[in-house]
Amino acid sequence: MSRVDEILSWYDSDAPGVQRNLRWILESGKLAGTGKLVLLPVDQGFEHGPTSSFGPNPAAYDPHYHFRLAIDAGCSAYAAPLGSLQAGAREFAGQIPTILKLNSSDSLFSGDDPKPAVTGSVSEALRLGCAAVGFTIYPGSAARNEMYAELREIAEQARAVGLAVVGWSYPQGSALSSAGETALDIVAYAAQIAAQLGAHIIKVKPPSAHIERADALAVFEEQSVPIDTLEDRVRHVVQSAFNGRRIVIFSGGATKSSEEVLSEITSLAAGGAFGSILGRNTFQRPRDEAIALLDAVMQTYRRAA
Amino acid sequence: MSRVDEILSWYDSDAPGVQRNLRWILESGKLAGTGKLVLLPVDQGFEHGPTSSFGPNPAAYDPHYHFRLAIDAGCSAYAAPLGSLQAGAREFAGQIPTILKLNSSDSLFSGDDPKPAVTGSVSEALRLGCAAVGFTIYPGSAARNEMYAELREIAEQARAVGLAVVGWSYPQGSALSSAGETALDIVAYAAQIAAQLGAHIIKVKPPSAHIERADALAVFEEQSVPIDTLEDRVRHVVQSAFNGRRIVIFSGGATKSSEEVLSEITSLAAGGAFGSILGRNTFQRPRDEAIALLDAVMQTYRRAA
Amino acid sequence: MSRVDEILSWYDSDAPGVQRNLRWILESGKLAGTGKLVLLPVDQGFEHGPTSSFGPNPAAYDPHYHFRLAIDAGCSAYAAPLGSLQAGAREFAGQIPTILKLNSSDSLFSGDDPKPAVTGSVSEALRLGCAAVGFTIYPGSAARNEMYAELREIAEQARAVGLAVVGWSYPQGSALSSAGETALDIVAYAAQIAAQLGAHIIKVKPPSAHIERADALAVFEEQSVPIDTLEDRVRHVVQSAFNGRRIVIFSGGATKSSEEVLSEITSLAAGGAFGSILGRNTFQRPRDEAIALLDAVMQTYRRAA
Amino acid sequence: MSRVDEILSWYDSDAPGVQRNLRWILESGKLAGTGKLVLLPVDQGFEHGPTSSFGPNPAAYDPHYHFRLAIDAGCSAYAAPLGSLQAGAREFAGQIPTILKLNSSDSLFSGDDPKPAVTGSVSEALRLGCAAVGFTIYPGSAARNEMYAELREIAEQARAVGLAVVGWSYPQGSALSSAGETALDIVAYAAQIAAQLGAHIIKVKPPSAHIERADALAVFEEQSVPIDTLEDRVRHVVQSAFNGRRIVIFSGGATKSSEEVLSEITSLAAGGAFGSILGRNTFQRPRDEAIALLDAVMQTYRRAA
Amino acid sequence: MSRVDEILSWYDSDAPGVQRNLRWILESGKLAGTGKLVLLPVDQGFEHGPTSSFGPNPAAYDPHYHFRLAIDAGCSAYAAPLGSLQAGAREFAGQIPTILKLNSSDSLFSGDDPKPAVTGSVSEALRLGCAAVGFTIYPGSAARNEMYAELREIAEQARAVGLAVVGWSYPQGSALSSAGETALDIVAYAAQIAAQLGAHIIKVKPPSAHIERADALAVFEEQSVPIDTLEDRVRHVVQSAFNGRRIVIFSGGATKSSEEVLSEITSLAAGGAFGSILGRNTFQRPRDEAIALLDAVMQTYRRAA
């Protein structure tokens, strides 16, 4: 059994249409067939504003730029909100799997307990020929339950029409300290919640060595769970998503040097990450640099496959 | 390829019905075929009250006055809430493209976080023979997410029946300073949000030189983005709406002298604005003056086409 | 063209069924054919309680009393909530146009920001043979947007089945001073809002000489709009409802002497009011007195027609 | 009142959206504003087969050819079944009013009592940006009642969303002699039936001098109705469609010489026909000839306007 | 523009989802990217019975056999009824584009006027992860209109969710002679009908030199259309499907020798066929022979691309 078939076997309660679309993602781009994946997400125009997102590389103001970048770099899929996807859906129809983000937050209003607006629908994803829908939840927010319920319902709708579901699970809210947002135990918990809500692919942030909750700390110590290195911690997060039976990928976060990106990816890959989702670290670089960096990232994952 | 065909090609993920209606707008009035447009919006009776809106030119109390003004001045379309449109929809059926505003705020209640009432529907727009529906969002308001979700759903309904969608995107709310409402970075962000939610035509206010957010300021400085003149700033706003792949038009704001209006329009046109939407600056003037001013505005845009 | 035909021509975007029902009202009772109308509304049992509403004239506890009164007095229509209408709908079917009030407030709970309960439906109005539905909005209330959206949706439903819509537009809520509730500019604004939401007949309170908003005051002064007499002020309110293209009628308010009522009616009629809607001032009087007063009111309007 | 406004006034029980679309047709092409119209219909590929329809002018195999021909010749609208319209709907969106034929017959099966298949829908017409839907009925067929019921339902759906309805009314079936299919009384009857079923525009064949039914013959004789010339007969058909209150247009039939076409058109125009719908006589000719012939036809109608 | 992009441009009135699925087919298998396609259809178990269909090669009783054959031979897609597809949909999910046949005829009942049973749905196609739905019509059957209406409705549903539509158009019925079923004019007509009903891909039988209808014969003679060779005739059929703007493929028919198959394919390819759909000629052969034959067929098409 190929690695892709093995991964798809974890989703065997879902309809074949879901597996067709998961396979599309797993068989696209330079990592096709490896069971690893690297996604290009471009929701930063909505999340952080166009100026700070695209200003560093003005070609990126154009939605076609990102489709082209994702295709040329050999990404496994391209994820974006409705407007961006729609601006290139016909031109690039079927050239790369697309993921329609169904909710988004903007930065013009912020509170302690974030909740994104619903900005897309499953029927739009079908119309636009997407492979999957994406949805963000903020465990730790006072508004978490509404988000969980929304994700669950969207996941049910998506599965019924054969679309895969990608869950962005980012702990944040009044219940968490700032360090807690990336604490190992919390990131692991966030991955578990997304898995429970029906996400097929789960996106989390790389976990720090901070432990937010005493009960988790006690277990790590009692069981002598290694958590010192990022590789160790990634292993725990992947384990927390159904013992590796769900595809868990890691976000790249704010812009940093290529060395930093690759160093982190090396640890993620070593820890068993299924891949990465890199936005600002790619499209805010000049195109050639971005493609070179993505190629190095993909080679790293390929070696770990 | 004509300029109108080029503009329509940006909306190629939409059904032909949407393009028929966008073409109707782009091929109507004195700017027909130029790719520029000037709209007459009359929602001020609802937004600011009849007395202060129509008192300065009492003929404007009559809804027919505005249809006639828009037609005689050669506007590209006329936008109004349900009642106003309905009052002339039969008399002027098909004589000018109409845009049904689907939400409106009145001024009898105000809070820090505005949210308009839903006051129309897509099916009413079909019944009344409209070319498009309009919807206002207030980025920066605590109620933004409800507005975003409403606009998204309306846009999906409208596209399904071939209507175009015009988004009024006016940053306002407890998260923004008063200066921030027209700050360049915020107006650019507002244009991006409307584009992401599926608006085909985006209406924003002319941006001031104020920069509200530190991250945007840093980008402007690092990238040496010119922002000193209105022309510069308009260019950034248009760029922020999918690098010019969306029609972005600018509101005229409160009544001012004809010289001030034309001076502003000259800058807007030079910066690449697709057009203007002028309400109080037209219907609060005597009819002859209004038509003369609109003609001068249109000539300005025509020269820039 | 008769006056009734002229009035109906203002509603020419509506289906013929709506015009049938408007004509029924305009051709009923003693004012038939004049373009003026006097309605009997009896929603006070719900709004103020039975004891204070009907105690002064115990015959009025009986719903049939009001049907009979409206018919015998030659009223243009009779308006009431579901229960009252239903109690006489068969007995008096087709004898007088009826208006089903679709929302009502009771006085057992009150807050700064009133919102009525929805207490009827368009389908009930059809079942009961009504000519129209009625709906109350409170501009100035924090709950205004929900009411506006409800009225809009009800108006769409009503138009689709050929029923006319009567909007009770009573400014009230935490955003308004007590004097502001009947301020000229506010009443004019309330009439405009109801017109925009699709009401065919608009009911407001007689406006006082108070001006609530500075922007309106400035316009009155700049334009030298006469506002000293009730007649002047009524003229402005009618103008504010699409320059007289909507039927605007005025409520009678709390019980007062016949002289006071007639004096007020004389001013309303002189100012161009389309009619009155008189509840407590009629049914709280002995029947003969009520009929005499209504006759005098109708004669006043007839003279102004 | 312009002639177009006069014509639209006949449809004043319909919603403004219907009138918008009727106006679009009446204000398009070389006959814009005259109240006359010439349509290009291309359903012969379905009705008679591609070989015999397009073989005489092979360029006509291409659906774009017909869009271009209709536009370049200045036709008022272009009518075709779903596939043909869809093949050019985006390319030519909004450049000419289109009419989606919602039913079609093929010639591979024929019986005494024809009934077309339903091959389109009102929602497709909206999606494709059409001005109208078209529907064929065969009065005289044993299957007439199903067709009448289908047309009625489609007309109701179309009106609700603001689309106009074009009725092809072609008497045919076991109840009629071959001569009866174009008999004056039968064509007049067919026009009446289409009008009764809600068609806004009615297409019939030019009537012959044959009279099929004795009762009609008796009336023509008793009332001395002139029926000798085609002009006389057309006058009777137009009269039979609500005394001229419905737009009645005449088909061109099988290919004939330009002289024959123009001679017939001259009679049609003299008799008060609102226009013609010419298919095989245009697209089976070389393009230049077709445009020249259509121009002569339009000039004939223009002179009669 | 690549050949695939050129082909997709013919379907530009459809949503991007349709184009994604058409591209999937056009980019799969050994003919990926050539604009040519070879499909494996296995509906013979239903159409002709298992014994006569699968008996010659008993391995073919197993539905997995056909998935595997289609994949290993490098077919562009695999088409089958619900049961067959469902039997392998998970195992082979996403490995090859699948087409769900939505109607099928069995051979246990036959009449002069065939009509297949509806045996699948668009929602099943989504659930199973299909690229397209397939539907058979029998022009010439007394039941044709029901089939046309069914195909039309299925095509509307499919387009709305981004699925492509494959039309099997097989003239058959009491209105046609046996020779007429494959007569050139009739096959061309059948292709036209499928195109008009909204099929994206049209499957017909190779046309014989017989001409069924006098009107077509007259045109062939008058226009000197070459029809002597299969290549000539295929050219006419492709022309009849919107002048080549629709993908037309040809069935292989009953089992014959490899030489006969390849000879026919050579003519089809020379005449501009977009490809073939070969069932009995492949799965009734031993697997190795079938793969070798399919390879030769694909090479033939590749040389013609």
Side-chain angles (χ1 to χ4, degrees), chain A residues 45-47 49 51-52 55-56 61-62 64 83-84 86 89-90 106-109 115 117 119-121 123-124 127, chain B residues 12-13 140 142 144-145 148-149 152 156 159 174-175 186 189 192 195-196 213 215 219 223 236 239 242-243 245:
Chain A
F46 200 115
E47 301 274 338
T51 308
S52 58
Y61 281 106
D62 187 342
H64 284 208
S84 287
Q86 196 161 242
R90 178 175 305 280
D106 72 86
S107 303
L108 294 182
F109 188 95
K115 175 164 191 321
T119 56
S121 69
S123 56
E124 295 279 23
R127 180 176 68 86
Chain B
D12 61 357
S13 290
R144 75 215 171 283
N145 282 358
Y148 295 171
R152 182 213 73 73
E156 182 169 353
R159 273 195 305 269
S174 57
I186 302 304
Y189 202 157
Q192 165 78 203
Q196 291 291 8
R213 295 164 55 90
D215 60 347
V219 169
Q223 304 288 329
H236 180 67
Q239 186 184 42
F242 294 175
N243 206 31
R245 288 176 179 276

Side-chain angles (χ1 to χ4, degrees), chain E residues 203-218:
Chain E
K203 179 191 172 192
V204 291
K205 292 184 180 166
S208 73
H210 176 67
I211 307 297
E212 179 85 348
R213 296 165 54 88
D215 60 346
L217 184 59

Side-chain angles (χ1 to χ4, degrees), chain E residues 69-300:
Chain E
L69 174 61
I71 292 166
D72 291 349
C75 289
S76 311
Y78 170 56
L82 182 71
S84 287
L85 266 200
Q86 200 160 236
R90 178 178 309 281
E91 180 90 8
F92 300 96
Q95 296 190 32
I96 185 171
T98 52
I99 300 166
L100 180 60
K101 275 291 305 282
L102 297 192
N103 65 351
S104 298
S105 296
D106 70 86
S107 303
L108 296 182
F109 184 95
S110 66
D112 289 341
D113 289 297
K115 171 156 192 332
V118 174
T119 57
S121 70
V122 168
S123 55
E124 295 280 23
L126 283 179
R127 180 178 67 86
L128 296 174
C130 299
V133 293
F135 198 85
T136 299
I137 54 174
Y138 294 123
S141 166
R144 73 214 173 282
N145 282 357
E146 295 96 274
M147 292 179 259
Y148 297 171
E150 286 167 354
L151 172 50
R152 182 215 73 71
E153 190 179 342
I154 280 167
E156 182 169 353
Q157 291 173 17
R159 274 195 303 270
V161 297
L163 293 174
V165 177
V166 184
W168 270 243
S169 193
Y170 285 179
Q172 196 177 337
S174 58
L176 291 173
S177 71
S178 179
E181 295 179 1
T182 53
L184 170 56
D185 57 328
I186 302 304
V187 172
Y189 202 157
Q192 165 78 203
I193 288 172
Q196 291 291 7
L197 294 171
H200 299 104
I201 298 176
I202 296 162
K203 179 191 172 192
V204 291
K205 292 184 180 166
S208 73
H210 176 67
I211 307 297
E212 179 85 348
R213 296 165 54 88
D215 60 346
L217 184 59
V219 168
F220 286 136
E221 290 177 349
E222 279 165 27
Q223 304 289 328
S224 306
V225 177
I227 61 171
D228 288 346
T229 67
L230 178 56
E231 175 182 339
D232 290 336
R233 297 190 294 269
V234 164
R235 190 165 290 116
H236 180 66
V237 173
V238 171
Q239 185 183 43
S240 295
F242 295 174
N243 207 31
R245 289 177 178 277
R246 288 294 173 269
I247 297 169
V248 182
I249 58 178
F250 292 82
S251 61
T255 308
K256 45 201 163 209
S257 75
S258 293
E259 290 66 35
E260 286 169 315
V261 170
L262 287 172
S263 164
E264 189 173 273
I265 297 291
T266 301
S267 296
L268 294 171
F274 288 74
S276 283
I277 174 160
L278 295 170
R280 282 170 286 173
N281 272 296
T282 56
F283 68 74
Q284 290 186 343
R285 281 176 161 77
R287 185 182 142 92
D288 287 352
E289 264 186 50
I291 288 181
L293 176 58
L294 281 164
D295 189 65
V297 167
M298 291 174 197
Q299 284 183 35
T300 306

Side-chain angles (χ1 to χ4, degrees), chain D residues 217-301:
Chain D
L217 183 60
V219 170
F220 285 137
E221 289 176 349
E222 279 165 25
Q223 304 289 329
S224 306
V225 177
I227 61 170
D228 288 347
T229 67
L230 178 56
E231 173 183 340
D232 290 336
R233 297 191 293 269
V234 164
R235 190 166 291 116
H236 180 65
V237 173
V238 170
Q239 186 182 44
S240 296
F242 296 175
N243 206 31
R245 287 176 175 276
R246 286 295 171 270
I247 297 169
V248 181
I249 59 178
F250 293 82
S251 62
T255 308
K256 45 200 163 211
S257 75
S258 293
E259 290 67 34
E260 286 169 314
V261 170
L262 286 172
S263 164
E264 189 174 275
I265 297 290
T266 302
S267 296
L268 294 171
F274 287 75
S276 284
I277 174 160
L278 296 170
R280 281 169 287 173
N281 273 295
T282 56
F283 67 74
Q284 290 187 341
R285 282 176 161 76
R287 185 181 142 91
D288 287 352
E289 265 185 50
I291 288 181
L293 176 59
L294 281 165
D295 188 67
V297 167
M298 292 174 195
Q299 285 183 33
T300 305
Y301 276 116

Side-chain angles (χ1 to χ4, degrees), chain A residues 1-17:
Chain A
M1 185 156 59
S2 76
R3 176 61 177 162
V4 170
D5 286 330
E6 183 190 358
I7 291 172
L8 293 182
S9 76
W10 305 333
Y11 301 93
D12 60 357
S13 290
D14 280 310

